[in-house]
Amino acid sequence: MPLSPLDLLHLTTDSLRGNPLRSALTTFGVFMGVAAVNATLQVANISTAVIERQLAEREAPKVFMWMKWSESGKRLTIDDMDFLRQRLANLQAISTSVWAGEYSEVVFQDQQLEIEAKAVSPEYLLTSGREILQGRFLNKADFDNYRPVAVIDRVFADQLFDSKDPVHQRFYAGGKLYTVVGVMETKLQFKNDEPSGEMVIPLSLYTAITGSFRIGGLEMRPQKVDTLKDMETLKEKAEQLLQQRFPEEEFWGWNNAEDILEQRETLKMASRGLLGVGAIALLVAGVGIANITVASVMERTKEIGLRRAIGATKQDILLQIILEAVLMSLIGGISAIAVVDGLSRVVANRFELPYNFEGSAAGLSLGAALLVGVGSSFLPAMRASQLEPVKALRSD
């Protein structure tokens, strides 16, 4: 008659308690393996969150392209931007901006502020990856009608307007009066930038005021950015097209996320290596479980024969031995996950790192431990379940 689940569990726990040192060492081996795997996954999750936070603080990853100065005096224009837009694949948006230093000193009532001023093309918001927090961005009518309007960032709004609603407020920049139509996110463009306040005005207005149709560098945001290679491919293609358009000129480009993307790729390679180490640790634990299971079966041959003689089925023997491995894997695995989670929280709080318990990482680690435990014990358990009762009782 087969054993009930409760009886089977009782016999399994009694067997584990019967040899506490062996059980503890096996459980510790599982603990170390799961800890290695789970710690690797948690480090990868924390590092990924740090990288994503850095990306969120910057403008969207994009490629900048400039024409080098030459005696010809040629410079890029809006037509060149349209030329690239029609020919580049994997291009989400392309825009340009002109540094307007003469507008960097702004005046509102009795306050003055030094900020960064730029004249931008219509797709600037999409290229930069910023969001509008209040009001709106520059629209088609603003560009077509040369309206003296501006979109400012959050730092500018807080410094100049304090608690006032900045939308529809008017201020002077470069001796000209501008109306605020929107407030956008403050984002950094490069690694060492510091937020200092920023305003953007329609490029058409700036062109009408200055009489210059030249533009600054081209800013190109890819449709998809998985690796640094995606950015490099876009840069090389844009440079090739411009070189065909201007055979006698030279161009140079770079991207604003190279350092972060390099960190991401380094992290991926390091995570794979550490995960391999964790997998090896789990396999070593599996070898330990297999060895101990074999030794346990050899020591309990007569016990197994006696149990078979009084009615235990092959399935009972098989399940008990596998259940022993499962219990040790569960105890070692859950303990490792709890310890790694506790240490991760301490480290995250100490260094102000983003951390949340990842159920998927814990589940993967524990599942791997159970798989190793069951897989390692299955063959010895199968061998034990096939023992003939008479032969087992006669064994020395």
Side-chain angles (χ1 to χ4, degrees), residues 106-162:
V106 301
V107 179
F108 175 71
Q109 296 178 356
D110 59 345
Q111 300 181 71
Q112 291 187 359
L113 184 66
E114 290 287 335
I115 52 91
E116 180 181 350
K118 293 190 293 188
V120 302
S121 60
E123 290 188 6
Y124 170 80
L125 189 69
L126 183 57
T127 306
S128 67
R130 303 192 191 202
E131 291 185 3
I132 292 295
L133 305 177
Q134 292 177 254
R136 62 172 177 83
F137 189 64
L138 306 174
N139 60 27
K140 187 175 185 299
D142 296 330
F143 286 94
D144 292 345
N145 299 315
Y146 312 97
R147 290 175 178 171
V149 295
V151 175
I152 62 177
D153 74 340
R154 173 52 65 191
V155 171
F156 184 171
D158 291 342
Q159 289 179 345
L160 196 64
F161 300 110
D162 195 19

Side-chain angles (χ1 to χ4, degrees), residues 33-326:
V34 173
V37 172
N38 192 244
T40 299
L41 294 174
Q42 296 296 3
V43 168
N45 289 335
I46 291 175
S47 301
T48 300
V50 170
I51 289 175
E52 294 305 320
R53 184 172 66 182
Q54 291 175 346
L55 282 172
E57 290 172 352
R58 293 194 197 179
E59 291 189 346
K62 55 187 175 179
V63 172
F64 294 81
M65 187 63 62
W66 289 78
M67 178 185 287
K68 292 184 178 180
W69 183 89
S70 68
E71 294 182 358
S72 68
K74 289 184 179 179
R75 290 292 183 270
L76 294 172
T77 66
I78 294 293
D79 291 339
D80 302 318
M81 188 169 65
D82 294 334
F83 171 80
L84 289 179
R85 182 186 288 110
Q86 296 170 9
R87 290 164 175 81
L88 284 174
N90 190 31
L91 183 67
Q92 182 174 351
I94 182 170
S95 67
T96 187
S97 61
V98 178
W99 181 69
E102 60 270 37
Y103 296 94
S104 59
E105 184 175 301
V106 301
V107 179
F108 175 71
Q109 296 178 356
D110 59 345
Q111 300 181 71
Q112 291 187 359
L113 184 66
E114 290 287 335
I115 52 91
E116 180 181 350
K118 293 190 293 188
V120 302
S121 60
E123 290 188 6
Y124 170 80
L125 189 69
L126 183 57
T127 306
S128 67
R130 303 192 191 202
E131 291 185 3
I132 292 295
L133 305 177
Q134 292 177 254
R136 62 172 177 83
F137 189 64
L138 306 174
N139 60 27
K140 187 175 185 299
D142 296 330
F143 286 94
D144 292 345
N145 299 315
Y146 312 97
R147 290 175 178 171
V149 295
V151 175
I152 62 177
D153 74 340
R154 173 52 65 191
V155 171
F156 184 171
D158 291 342
Q159 289 179 345
L160 196 64
F161 300 110
D162 195 19
S163 58
K164 301 182 182 69
D165 183 358
V167 179
H168 304 309
Q169 297 286 353
R170 294 184 175 184
F171 65 90
Y172 285 92
K176 298 178 176 58
L177 187 64
Y178 288 88
T179 302
V180 177
V181 295
V183 179
M184 62 185 177
E185 287 181 298
T186 296
K187 288 199 172 188
L188 308 180
Q189 204 170 72
F190 301 103
K191 181 178 180 180
N192 297 318
D193 285 353
E194 292 291 337
S196 59
E198 185 178 356
M199 66 171 280
V200 297
I201 61 175
L203 180 61
S204 58
L205 173 67
Y206 185 78
T207 299
I209 293 173
T210 61
S212 173
F213 290 90
R214 295 176 178 177
I215 62 176
L218 300 177
E219 303 175 13
M220 297 167 285
R221 181 179 177 182
Q223 191 76 37
K224 182 181 69 170
V225 182
D226 291 329
T227 64
L228 187 59
K229 185 178 180 181
D230 296 326
M231 304 289 282
E232 289 297 319
T233 300
L234 180 61
K235 180 179 79 69
E236 291 170 3
K237 183 61 177 176
E239 188 173 355
Q240 180 183 358
L241 288 169
L242 289 173
Q243 199 68 63
Q244 293 173 359
R245 189 170 171 85
F246 302 97
E248 298 179 357
E249 305 299 328
E250 293 185 36
F251 299 89
W252 58 288
W254 74 98
N255 70 77
N256 66 331
E258 182 173 355
D259 57 322
I260 297 179
L261 294 174
E262 285 179 346
Q263 289 178 33
R264 179 189 282 176
E265 292 180 13
T266 302
L267 170 63
K268 286 181 179 179
M269 290 187 290
S271 296
R272 289 169 186 165
L274 290 173
L275 196 59
V277 172
I280 292 172
L282 265 181
L283 289 175
V284 170
V287 172
I289 291 175
N291 288 336
I292 287 176
T293 304
V294 170
S296 175
V297 169
M298 292 177 65
E299 290 176 2
R300 295 155 58 188
T301 300
K302 288 187 177 181
E303 175 194 334
I304 293 171
L306 180 59
R307 288 187 54 202
R308 288 294 313 280
I310 61 176
T313 65
K314 292 181 180 181
Q315 185 179 13
D316 291 335
I317 304 299
L318 178 69
L319 290 177
Q320 180 184 343
I321 295 175
I322 291 178
L323 187 56
E324 290 177 9
V326 168

Side-chain angles (χ1 to χ4, degrees), residues 305-358:
L306 180 59
R307 288 187 54 202
R308 288 294 313 280
I310 61 176
T313 65
K314 292 181 180 181
Q315 185 179 13
D316 291 335
I317 304 299
L318 178 69
L319 290 177
Q320 180 184 343
I321 295 175
I322 291 178
L323 187 56
E324 290 177 9
V326 168
L327 286 177
M328 289 187 289
S329 298
L330 279 174
I331 294 170
I334 293 173
S335 301
I337 291 169
V339 169
V340 170
D341 178 60
L343 291 176
S344 298
R345 291 182 187 278
V346 171
V347 172
N349 291 334
R350 174 67 179 82
F351 296 100
E352 298 181 352
L353 300 172
Y355 172 74
N356 288 307
F357 178 76
E358 291 285 344

